[in-house]
Amino acid sequence: MLYWIIVGIIAGWLAGKLVRGAGFGLIGDLILGLVGGLVGGWIFGALGIAGPNGLIGGIIIATVGAVILVWISHMIREA
């Protein structure tokens, strides 16, 4: 559990830095990172892409999902 919290924090923080605009705070970034891990895992699986394993792989997959979620949330805010 602690592993996924650490991955979620890192992925949420990275997503906040990669996508234009401010982050969502520690809790918001954590939630985005954790949910981003699920979204990223689903996307990689749906596309038939075997994601990298381990800590770095988890961060990459979670960051991809979190970036997508941050992008969608920015699009909703601007609409």
Side-chain angles (χ1 to χ4, degrees):
M1 174 111 170
L2 181 61
Y3 170 80
W4 285 110
I5 292 172
I6 293 169
V7 168
I9 291 170
I10 294 169
W13 177 80
L14 282 172
K17 297 298 178 188
L18 291 172
V19 177
R20 186 173 39 106
F24 293 94
L26 179 62
I27 300 298
D29 286 348
L30 170 63
I31 292 169
L32 278 175
L34 292 172
V35 175
L38 295 173
V39 170
W42 179 81
I43 289 172
F44 275 63
L47 295 175
I49 300 171
N53 293 326
L55 179 63
I56 300 300
I59 291 171
I60 291 169
I61 292 171
T63 300
V64 169
V67 164
I68 292 169
L69 290 176
V70 170
W71 180 74
I72 289 171
S73 71
H74 283 284
M75 296 301 286
I76 291 171
R77 277 192 203 167
E78 292 177 8

